[in-house]
Amino acid sequence: MARVYNFSAGPATLPESVLAEAASEMLDYRGSGMSVMEMSHRSKEFQQIIDEAEADLRDLMGIPENYKVLFLQGGAWTQFAAIPMNLLKKGKADYILTGSWGKKACKEAGKYGDIRVAASSEDKNFTYVPDVDAIEIREDADYVYICDNETIFGTKFHKYPETKGDTVLVADVSSCFLSEPMDVSKFGLIYGGVQKNIGPAGAAIVIVREDLIRDDVPEFVPTILKYKTQADKGSMFNTPPCYTIYICGKVFKWLKAQGGLEGIQKRNQEKAAVLYDYLDTTDFYIAPVRKEDRSIMNVPFILKDDSLNEEFIAGAKEVGIVNIKGHRDVGGMRASIYNAMSKEGVEALVDYMKKFETEHK
Ligand SMILES: *Cc1c(COP(=O)(O)O)cnc(C)c1O
C-alpha cells in the first residue's frame, strides 16, 4: 500500500492510525454487529460516541463550562449565515477581512444586518494581518468577526482584537482548529468546518458562550439554524453527521496521545519551520506573506518563473507529493500542513523543492 503525502487544503490528510482503526471497526463496531454508518443516532452506542467526542474536545481545548459545543451539518458556509442570525441583537457587526473566507462571511452576514468592514488587508492581496490594536470597533457592535487562519492566503492572527462591553469576538478556525492551544474564554463563538484539520467533511463544530444562545431570534430564522434548537437537544435535534462525528472523536483521542494541543503545536511549529526556513534562503520560490503573519497550517509559495508550475506539479506527483497546486487567487503552490501531515512529509517536499531548484536554475 502506498500512501501519498497529501498537501490538500481540504478535505485533507488524516492520521493513518485513525483511518486504520475506523477500518477495523467498519463492519462491526465493538460487537454491535453493524457499522457506525448504519447505526441509529438514538442508540446507546452513538450517544456514547458523541458524548465522548464532546468530552475529549472540551478537555483538549479547555472549554469553559459556560460554553456549548455543537456538532452541526452544513459546513462552515452555513455558519456564515447562522452567526448573524443568532448573534445580531442590536443588529451590527464589524468584520476584519484577511482573505476570501472573511469576505464571503461578511457578504453573507450583510443580508441580515448592518455589517461593516472594520479593517482589510486586501490592499496588498491579503498578504498580512491588519494591526489589531489600530482597528476601531463600533461600540454597539454585537460582534467582531475574524477568520483566524486564512486558508487561501496563508495568514494567521497571532494576536486577537480586544472587544469591549457586550461586543464579542467570533472566529472561523476551520483551517487551524486544534493546531495550537486557544483561550476559548476570549471568544463569544469559535467555529469551523472539520474537513481541514479534524475529520471527514460533513460537520462544523460551533463552540458558543451560553448567554449568546437565544430564543428570541428573528421569526425568519430557520428552526435548524437556531443555536437554541441544537443546544437544547445535544446536537441531535435532527440526524447529526454521525460517521463524521465518530471520526472526529478518534482524532481527538489521537491528539491527546500527541501531547494535546501543546504537543501538536510544537510539532506544527517544527514542521512549518522546515518549509519556511528553506523558503527564506532561496529566491527561486517566493513566500508572499509578511513574516510575522505567517500561518503554520497553509503555506503558499510562488515559483519565480511561473512557467515552471506544471512541471513542478507533475514532478512532485512522481515522488508521491500531491495536491500542491496553489489557489487561483494566489497562484503558484500551497502546502497545507495540517496536524496529520508528518514532518517526513514536509521534509520530502523541501527535498523535492531543492532538487527542482537545482535542476532549473
Ligand atoms: C474551507 C473553509 C471554509 C468553507 O468551509 P465549508 O465547510 O466548505 O463551507 C470556510 N472558512 C475557512 C477558513 C475555510 O478554510
Side-chain angles (χ1 to χ4, degrees), residues 63 67 78 109 195 200 224 231 357:
I63 300 174
Y67 284 74
T78 305
Q195 72 274 22
I224 198 65
E357 174 174 355

Side-chain angles (χ1 to χ4, degrees), residues 74-78 80 101 147 149 151 172 174-175 193 195-196:
W77 251 104
T78 305
F80 291 175
W101 291 117
C147 174
N149 183 85
T151 324
D172 174 356
S174 295
S175 51
Q195 72 274 22
K196 308 281 162 71

